[in-house]
Amino acid sequence: MPTFAIRLARITGRILLALAAVATLVVVFLAAIVLTDGAGSGLAAWLSALGIGSAAALWRGRRRTRAARLAPFLPVVVAAALTASVCVPTAPTARRSPPALPFVATQHWTLETGSRVAVYHYPPAKTGARHPVPLVYLNGGPVRGISVQDHRFLQLLARQGHDVYAYEQAGGGRSDLLPMEQYTISRSVRDLAAFVDRVDKGKVDVLGFSSGGVVLTRALADPRVAARLHRAVIAEPGPMDGPTARIDGHKGRPSARDLAPAMTGPRSTHVPRYAVAFGLMRLGLLTPETGLVGQAEGVNAFTAADLGSDTASAYCARDAHRIPAEDTAQNFSFSPAASLRVQQTIRDSPSLAPRLGRSKTPAMLMIAECSSQVRQWATAVLAGDPAIQRTQYMPGVGHHMWNGLDDNNDRAAAVITAFLQDKPAPLPDYPTRDEIPAFLRDHK
């Protein structure tokens, strides 16, 4: 019995040593991925780890019998097999754009900036009053396609007399990709100016939501772009510059982030290749330009379920168990690498306040009650832009204010239309600039 126990202990020890060797080689592989920035689809890191493991196995087996010399190579083979899956694409590496939407024609415009963007036009309803100034919609993301839910809201605005234009920003949806280094917040602002010129109907109103609100805010701070804008609606903006992005402050009323059921559907992050790529990019250990996963492959692979609790965070806690489907699997499109690249250029940008303080374009700010956004992201815009004429605090909604639930779309449309037509606001002007400190204190 003691002999058996000794043998069992030796076997167990060898197994544990082998597992430790496999784990060590996997760590070496991941470190090499980071050091090489995923060069060659991860093959450079894989060969490096394989070489290190083989050299270690040769050293460990140098004094063993010929047959026993092969044993140290077993962990190398296992580790090589496990890590090889990170180097092999399972999504198409050439861009696959979403199919055409059945309810609106997709146009493609090549802007003066060189961006080729997908454009959607919802003409005003033939009955009822028409608003003479075109309305341009900038969706959130950044570098995400316009959701079906947003398209429904744009249709509602058109039925209320707005001549609505929307375009998916370069790299998002059905728009063409850009070289990764060209994704910047400045390029997004220049694309907006070029798009307005292409509409060719004089000044336009612009509705910017979330990261689209950031593009709009920065456009208001650029006199050359602001000269093309008639009125601006900034809805639930993200951070407008580097100083604002570094604020870790108050948020709105509780969202559904930790309450909603987990999103269903396939996830690219269940595949080792994309779990490693997107995970390391999000941690800042891989650059958006990484050679591990190309931009087109990343767009093709990423799914709505990969957003996880981010979607639930755009809804109030009371809506946790009735969150609507924002999009279809066929229409959903998001470029995680390009999005991180744009966000980084915002974080690296200097304060916008000096330039925004000279803005003269009439503007309105919309803030949601259950916003998952840092409150100071919105109040920084309110404090910095003297041309903001009203603020509309939207009760009962989260970050995605037009979400198809109850009368939320109608309420958001009423607020937007009233401002664009210079009519009395449906809601109190709240918070004003003087009320920002109290607002931040009372609405946590």
Side-chain angles (χ1 to χ4, degrees), residues 178-240:
L178 294 175
M180 188 58 67
E181 68 275 6
Q182 293 186 23
Y183 289 105
T184 66
I185 190 62
S186 297
R187 173 62 173 264
S188 299
V189 173
R190 293 197 302 273
D191 280 352
L192 171 60
F195 182 81
V196 174
D197 289 345
R198 180 65 187 268
V199 171
D200 196 23
K201 292 186 178 181
K203 288 189 175 184
V204 301
D205 295 327
V206 180
L207 166 61
F209 166 65
S210 193
S211 63
V214 176
V215 176
L216 178 54
T217 300
R218 295 182 72 94
L220 294 174
D222 185 333
R224 295 167 299 178
V225 183
R228 299 166 167 89
L229 309 184
H230 177 253
R231 285 184 171 241
V233 178
I234 305 167
E236 279 285 288
M240 65 182 181

Side-chain angles (χ1 to χ4, degrees), residues 5 59 70 116 159 190 211 262 288 290 316 343 369 381 412 419:
W59 185 83
L70 296 176
R116 186 172 182 268
R159 289 196 297 270
R190 293 197 302 273
S211 63
T290 178
C316 290
Q343 292 176 60
E369 178 186 6
V381 178
F419 174 71

Side-chain angles (χ1 to χ4, degrees), residues 190-324:
R190 293 197 302 273
D191 280 352
L192 171 60
F195 182 81
V196 174
D197 289 345
R198 180 65 187 268
V199 171
D200 196 23
K201 292 186 178 181
K203 288 189 175 184
V204 301
D205 295 327
V206 180
L207 166 61
F209 166 65
S210 193
S211 63
V214 176
V215 176
L216 178 54
T217 300
R218 295 182 72 94
L220 294 174
D222 185 333
R224 295 167 299 178
V225 183
R228 299 166 167 89
L229 309 184
H230 177 253
R231 285 184 171 241
V233 178
I234 305 167
E236 279 285 288
M240 65 182 181
D241 54 24
T244 311
R246 289 187 283 273
I247 293 175
D248 184 17
H250 306 300
K251 296 187 179 180
R253 306 291 188 196
S255 75
R257 174 180 287 275
D258 298 318
L259 304 173
M263 290 190 69
T264 59
R267 295 181 182 228
S268 69
T269 47
H270 288 171
V271 179
R273 176 174 176 80
Y274 306 113
V276 169
F278 298 149
L280 292 179
M281 274 194 284
R282 187 154 192 173
L283 291 172
L285 297 175
L286 286 181
T287 67
E289 297 87 352
T290 178
L292 181 57
V293 172
Q295 182 186 174
E297 182 188 351
V299 174
N300 293 335
F302 203 88
T303 69
D306 287 323
L307 294 173
S309 59
D310 285 354
T311 298
S313 70
Y315 293 82
C316 290
R318 57 180 166 271
D319 295 325
H321 294 281
R322 60 169 193 156
I323 293 175

Side-chain angles (χ1 to χ4, degrees), residues 19-108:
L19 291 175
V22 171
T24 299
L25 286 174
V26 170
V27 171
V28 169
F29 169 74
L30 293 176
I33 284 282
V34 173
L35 291 173
T36 62
D37 200 24
S41 194
L43 187 59
W46 187 81
L47 290 173
S48 298
L50 182 62
I52 292 171
S54 298
L58 286 170
W59 185 83
R60 289 181 59 200
R62 69 191 186 284
R63 294 179 180 177
R64 301 185 183 187
T65 62
R66 180 172 297 179
R69 288 176 186 172
L70 296 176
F73 283 91
L74 180 59
V76 179
V77 173
V78 173
L82 289 174
T83 54
S85 61
V86 177
C87 305
V88 180
T90 58
T93 56
R95 175 70 183 277
R96 287 190 174 179
S97 296
L101 291 165
F103 49 80
V104 63
T106 304
Q107 306 174 52
H108 282 92

Side-chain angles (χ1 to χ4, degrees), residues 100-101 103-111 115-123 135-139 145-146 151 154 163-170 172-176 191-192 194-201:
L101 291 165
F103 49 80
V104 63
T106 304
Q107 306 174 52
H108 282 92
W109 292 1
T110 300
L111 307 179
S115 299
R116 186 172 182 268
V117 297
V119 180
Y120 310 93
H121 181 209
Y122 292 103
L135 173 62
V136 173
Y137 177 61
L138 294 173
N139 66 300
I146 299 175
H151 276 289
L154 300 180
D163 187 14
V164 181
Y165 289 84
Y167 68 97
E168 289 169 319
Q169 296 170 49
R174 296 163 185 82
S175 294
D176 286 6
D191 280 352
L192 171 60
F195 182 81
V196 174
D197 289 345
R198 180 65 187 268
V199 171
D200 196 23
K201 292 186 178 181

